[in-house]
Amino acid sequence: MSHIKLVTSGKGGAGKSTVSVYSAAALVRRGRRVLLLEMDAGLRGLDILLGVCDRTVFDMSDVLEGRCEPVKAIVECAWCPGLHLMPAPLDRSFFPCSGDLARLCRGLSSYYDYLLIDTPAGLGIGFEVSLSVAQSAFIVATPDPVAVRDAASVAALIFERGLTDVKLLINRLPPRPGQMLVSDLDSCIDTVGAQLIGVIPEERALAAASARGGELPADSPAGAEFLRIAGRIEGEYTPLAIR
Protein backbone atom coordinates (compact mmCIF):
# COMPACT_ATOMS: atom_id res chain seq x y z
CA MET A 1 0.00 0.00 0.00
CA SER A 2 1.18 3.50 -0.80
CA HIS A 3 2.18 6.13 1.70
CA ILE A 4 0.55 9.44 0.72
CA LYS A 5 2.75 12.47 1.32
CA LEU A 6 1.75 16.09 0.87
CA VAL A 7 4.36 18.57 -0.41
CA THR A 8 3.32 22.16 0.25
CA SER A 9 4.83 25.55 0.93
CA GLY A 10 2.40 28.31 1.80
CA LYS A 11 3.84 30.98 -0.48
CA GLY A 12 4.72 30.46 -4.12
CA GLY A 13 8.33 30.45 -5.25
CA ALA A 14 9.73 28.34 -2.40
CA GLY A 15 10.67 25.54 -4.80
CA LYS A 16 7.95 23.11 -3.76
CA SER A 17 7.66 21.45 -7.17
CA THR A 18 11.43 21.08 -7.51
CA VAL A 19 11.53 19.47 -4.07
CA SER A 20 8.67 17.15 -5.05
CA VAL A 21 10.46 15.97 -8.19
CA TYR A 22 13.94 15.43 -6.79
CA SER A 23 12.72 13.89 -3.54
CA ALA A 24 10.64 11.49 -5.61
CA ALA A 25 13.61 10.71 -7.86
CA ALA A 26 15.76 10.00 -4.79
CA LEU A 27 13.17 7.53 -3.51
CA VAL A 28 13.10 5.81 -6.91
CA ARG A 29 16.88 5.45 -6.76
CA ARG A 30 16.34 3.56 -3.52
CA GLY A 31 14.20 1.08 -5.42
CA ARG A 32 10.79 2.57 -4.59
CA ARG A 33 7.86 3.04 -6.93
CA VAL A 34 6.72 6.65 -6.84
CA LEU A 35 3.83 8.55 -8.44
CA LEU A 36 3.58 12.33 -8.39
CA LEU A 37 0.02 13.63 -8.28
CA GLU A 38 -0.04 17.25 -9.42
CA MET A 39 -2.81 19.41 -7.99
CA ASP A 40 -1.92 22.85 -9.37
CA ALA A 41 -4.77 23.09 -11.88
CA GLY A 42 -4.13 25.58 -14.67
CA LEU A 43 -0.51 26.17 -13.66
CA ARG A 44 1.04 22.76 -14.02
CA GLY A 45 4.78 22.41 -14.53
CA LEU A 46 5.85 18.96 -13.35
CA ASP A 47 5.63 17.67 -16.92
CA ILE A 48 8.44 20.09 -17.82
CA LEU A 49 10.55 19.15 -14.79
CA LEU A 50 10.19 15.47 -15.68
CA GLY A 51 10.82 16.04 -19.39
CA VAL A 52 7.45 14.63 -20.49
CA CYS A 53 5.47 17.66 -21.70
CA ASP A 54 5.43 16.25 -25.25
CA ARG A 55 3.93 12.95 -24.00
CA THR A 56 1.22 14.32 -21.72
CA VAL A 57 -2.16 13.71 -23.34
CA PHE A 58 -4.56 13.07 -20.45
CA ASP A 59 -4.64 14.46 -16.92
CA MET A 60 -6.27 13.97 -13.53
CA SER A 61 -9.57 15.53 -14.62
CA ASP A 62 -9.85 13.05 -17.50
CA VAL A 63 -9.50 10.18 -15.03
CA LEU A 64 -11.92 11.52 -12.42
CA GLU A 65 -14.52 12.48 -15.01
CA GLY A 66 -14.36 9.08 -16.69
CA ARG A 67 -12.76 10.05 -20.00
CA CYS A 68 -9.84 7.63 -19.62
CA GLU A 69 -8.39 4.97 -17.37
CA PRO A 70 -5.73 6.09 -14.87
CA VAL A 71 -2.96 4.29 -16.76
CA LYS A 72 -3.53 6.54 -19.79
CA ALA A 73 -2.99 9.69 -17.74
CA ILE A 74 0.22 8.45 -16.10
CA VAL A 75 3.54 9.15 -17.82
CA GLU A 76 7.02 7.96 -16.87
CA CYS A 77 9.81 10.45 -16.24
CA ALA A 78 12.19 10.78 -19.19
CA TRP A 79 15.35 10.82 -17.06
CA CYS A 80 14.34 8.69 -14.04
CA PRO A 81 12.67 5.41 -15.03
CA GLY A 82 10.29 4.31 -12.31
CA LEU A 83 9.15 7.83 -11.46
CA HIS A 84 5.65 8.54 -12.76
CA LEU A 85 3.38 11.56 -13.02
CA MET A 86 -0.34 12.17 -13.23
CA PRO A 87 -0.46 15.83 -14.33
CA ALA A 88 -2.88 18.50 -13.22
CA PRO A 89 -5.50 19.66 -15.72
CA LEU A 90 -4.94 22.82 -17.72
CA ASP A 91 -8.43 23.97 -16.70
CA ARG A 92 -7.76 26.08 -13.61
CA SER A 93 -11.38 25.74 -12.44
CA PHE A 94 -11.08 21.99 -11.89
CA PHE A 95 -10.62 20.66 -8.38
CA PRO A 96 -11.47 17.12 -7.34
CA CYS A 97 -13.58 16.62 -4.25
CA SER A 98 -11.89 14.86 -1.36
CA GLY A 99 -13.92 11.69 -1.92
CA ASP A 100 -12.86 11.42 -5.56
CA LEU A 101 -9.21 12.02 -4.72
CA ALA A 102 -9.37 9.45 -1.92
CA ARG A 103 -10.84 6.85 -4.28
CA LEU A 104 -8.16 7.61 -6.87
CA CYS A 105 -5.41 7.19 -4.28
CA ARG A 106 -6.91 3.91 -3.07
CA GLY A 107 -7.01 2.62 -6.63
CA LEU A 108 -3.37 3.52 -7.22
CA SER A 109 -2.02 2.44 -3.85
CA SER A 110 -1.29 -1.16 -4.79
CA TYR A 111 0.99 -0.05 -7.64
CA TYR A 112 3.22 2.44 -5.82
CA ASP A 113 5.17 2.71 -2.58
CA TYR A 114 4.67 6.47 -2.40
CA LEU A 115 2.10 8.91 -3.74
CA LEU A 116 3.53 12.45 -3.53
CA ILE A 117 0.91 15.16 -3.88
CA ASP A 118 2.31 18.45 -5.17
CA THR A 119 -0.15 21.06 -3.94
CA PRO A 120 -0.89 24.52 -5.28
CA ALA A 121 0.69 27.38 -3.37
CA GLY A 122 -1.51 28.90 -0.71
CA LEU A 123 -4.36 27.53 1.37
CA GLY A 124 -7.13 27.18 -1.20
CA ILE A 125 -9.34 24.30 -2.30
CA GLY A 126 -6.51 22.33 -3.89
CA PHE A 127 -4.55 22.39 -0.65
CA GLU A 128 -7.56 21.43 1.48
CA VAL A 129 -8.52 18.51 -0.75
CA SER A 130 -4.93 17.25 -0.85
CA LEU A 131 -4.59 17.52 2.92
CA SER A 132 -7.74 15.44 3.41
CA VAL A 133 -6.05 12.32 1.99
CA ALA A 134 -2.45 12.83 3.20
CA GLN A 135 -0.71 10.67 5.81
CA SER A 136 2.31 12.96 6.20
CA ALA A 137 3.53 16.31 4.92
CA PHE A 138 6.60 18.23 3.82
CA ILE A 139 6.48 21.99 4.23
CA VAL A 140 9.01 23.69 1.95
CA ALA A 141 10.33 27.11 2.94
CA THR A 142 13.23 29.31 1.94
CA PRO A 143 15.23 31.04 4.72
CA ASP A 144 13.49 34.39 4.51
CA PRO A 145 10.97 35.95 6.91
CA VAL A 146 7.94 35.89 4.58
CA ALA A 147 8.41 32.26 3.54
CA VAL A 148 8.99 31.16 7.13
CA ARG A 149 5.92 33.00 8.43
CA ASP A 150 3.76 31.50 5.67
CA ALA A 151 5.18 28.04 6.38
CA ALA A 152 4.24 28.49 10.04
CA SER A 153 0.65 29.29 9.03
CA VAL A 154 0.51 26.17 6.87
CA ALA A 155 1.97 24.02 9.65
CA ALA A 156 -0.59 25.32 12.13
CA LEU A 157 -3.45 24.45 9.78
CA ILE A 158 -2.06 20.97 9.08
CA PHE A 159 -1.71 20.24 12.79
CA GLU A 160 -5.21 21.61 13.35
CA ARG A 161 -6.55 19.06 10.85
CA GLY A 162 -5.01 16.27 12.92
CA LEU A 163 -2.00 15.36 10.78
CA THR A 164 1.01 14.97 13.08
CA ASP A 165 3.75 13.66 10.76
CA VAL A 166 4.87 17.04 9.45
CA LYS A 167 8.44 17.90 8.46
CA LEU A 168 10.12 21.15 7.42
CA LEU A 169 12.45 21.23 4.42
CA ILE A 170 14.51 24.39 3.99
CA ASN A 171 15.30 25.12 0.36
CA ARG A 172 17.81 27.44 -1.34
CA LEU A 173 20.18 27.85 1.58
CA PRO A 174 22.75 30.51 0.55
CA PRO A 175 26.43 29.46 0.53
CA ARG A 176 27.27 31.85 3.38
CA PRO A 177 25.21 32.36 6.57
CA GLY A 178 25.48 36.15 6.21
CA GLN A 179 23.47 35.97 2.98
CA MET A 180 20.36 34.65 4.75
CA LEU A 181 17.53 37.04 5.54
CA VAL A 182 16.87 35.29 8.86
CA SER A 183 19.22 35.09 11.83
CA ASP A 184 19.78 31.33 11.62
CA LEU A 185 18.07 28.06 10.73
CA ASP A 186 17.08 27.37 14.31
CA SER A 187 14.83 30.43 14.21
CA CYS A 188 13.13 29.02 11.08
CA ILE A 189 12.51 25.68 12.79
CA ASP A 190 11.17 27.31 15.94
CA THR A 191 8.83 29.58 14.00
CA VAL A 192 7.37 26.82 11.82
CA GLY A 193 7.16 24.34 14.69
CA ALA A 194 7.96 21.26 12.62
CA GLN A 195 10.94 18.92 12.69
CA LEU A 196 13.62 19.66 10.11
CA ILE A 197 14.16 16.85 7.62
CA GLY A 198 16.63 18.46 5.22
CA VAL A 199 18.37 21.57 3.95
CA ILE A 200 18.85 21.99 0.21
CA PRO A 201 21.72 24.33 -0.75
CA GLU A 202 21.27 27.04 -3.33
CA GLU A 203 22.98 25.58 -6.36
CA ARG A 204 23.28 26.57 -10.00
CA ALA A 205 23.19 22.93 -11.13
CA LEU A 206 19.82 22.41 -9.44
CA ALA A 207 18.34 25.50 -11.09
CA ALA A 208 19.69 24.39 -14.48
CA ALA A 209 18.36 20.84 -14.12
CA SER A 210 14.92 22.14 -13.15
CA ALA A 211 14.82 24.54 -16.09
CA ARG A 212 15.69 21.93 -18.68
CA GLY A 213 13.82 19.02 -17.09
CA GLY A 214 16.70 16.72 -16.27
CA GLU A 215 18.56 14.88 -13.55
CA LEU A 216 21.11 16.41 -11.23
CA PRO A 217 24.84 15.88 -11.85
CA ALA A 218 26.44 13.05 -9.92
CA ASP A 219 28.55 15.50 -7.89
CA SER A 220 25.63 17.80 -7.00
CA PRO A 221 25.50 18.66 -3.27
CA ALA A 222 21.75 19.17 -3.60
CA GLY A 223 21.40 15.74 -5.18
CA ALA A 224 23.32 14.18 -2.29
CA GLU A 225 21.03 15.90 0.20
CA PHE A 226 17.91 14.67 -1.61
CA LEU A 227 19.25 11.12 -1.27
CA ARG A 228 19.78 11.68 2.46
CA ILE A 229 16.24 13.05 2.73
CA ALA A 230 14.90 9.92 1.01
CA GLY A 231 16.72 7.85 3.61
CA ARG A 232 15.21 9.91 6.44
CA ILE A 233 11.74 9.45 4.93
CA GLU A 234 12.32 5.72 5.26
CA GLY A 235 13.50 5.94 8.85
CA GLU A 236 17.27 6.02 8.44
CA TYR A 237 19.27 8.22 10.79
CA THR A 238 21.48 10.76 9.03
CA PRO A 239 22.74 13.71 11.08
CA LEU A 240 21.68 17.15 9.95
CA ALA A 241 24.41 19.74 9.58
CA ILE A 242 22.89 23.08 10.60
CA ARG A 243 24.88 26.30 10.54
Side-chain angles (χ1 to χ4, degrees):
M1 298 291 289
S2 298
H3 181 87
I4 305 172
K5 183 176 289 293
L6 188 78
V7 185
T8 189
S9 62
K11 77 184 290 288
K16 170 185 54 63
S17 295
T18 299
V19 165
S20 296
V21 166
Y22 291 105
S23 296
L27 286 165
V28 168
R29 292 192 171 96
R30 292 175 61 88
R32 306 300 178 237
R33 299 165 299 168
V34 183
L35 174 66
L36 285 162
L37 293 170
E38 186 177 27
M39 293 291 290
D40 204 353
L43 296 171
R44 75 187 191 197
L46 293 189
D47 55 341
I48 294 175
L49 290 173
L50 270 63
V52 297
C53 56
D54 60 336
R55 294 193 283 115
T56 302
V57 178
F58 298 104
D59 56 49
M60 186 183 294
S61 68
D62 293 309
V63 175
L64 295 181
E65 295 181 350
R67 291 187 290 271
C68 74
E69 295 297 316
V71 66
K72 292 188 176 180
I74 294 172
V75 289
E76 187 173 38
C77 177
W79 49 267
C80 184
L83 173 56
H84 295 86
L85 167 69
M86 182 178 288
L90 292 173
D91 178 5
R92 64 182 303 173
S93 67
F94 176 85
F95 291 104
C97 69
S98 57
D100 285 346
L101 184 60
R103 282 188 288 274
L104 176 64
C105 290
R106 283 197 299 271
L108 295 168
S109 64
S110 60
Y111 300 98
Y112 296 96
D113 299 300
Y114 292 93
L115 302 180
L116 267 59
I117 303 178
D118 184 57
T119 72
L123 302 177
I125 297 173
F127 169 80
E128 292 280 359
V129 171
S130 301
L131 179 57
S132 71
V133 303
Q135 297 166 302
S136 65
F138 271 1
I139 300 175
V140 182
T142 51
D144 70 81
V146 174
V148 172
R149 183 179 62 186
D150 288 353
S153 297
V154 172
L157 180 56
I158 293 174
F159 287 129
E160 182 182 298
R161 295 291 192 273
L163 193 64
T164 58
D165 186 358
V166 182
K167 302 292 190 297
L168 171 64
L169 193 151
I170 295 176
N171 192 30
R172 296 180 187 153
L173 182 71
R176 291 183 293 277
Q179 295 175 313
M180 287 198 303
L181 300 177
V182 294
S183 57
D184 53 42
L185 295 187
D186 285 336
S187 68
C188 299
I189 299 166
D190 292 342
T191 300
V192 176
Q195 181 183 2
L196 184 68
I197 195 170
V199 180
I200 305 299
E202 191 170 49
E203 182 184 320
R204 184 174 298 176
L206 177 57
S210 300
R212 71 172 183 271
E215 62 185 324
L216 291 167
D219 60 351
S220 162
E225 179 62 4
F226 278 117
L227 287 171
R228 288 190 288 268
I229 289 168
R232 293 174 194 131
I233 290 172
E234 303 210 299
E236 293 181 3
Y237 174 73
T238 307
L240 282 159
I242 303 176
R243 296 197 296 268

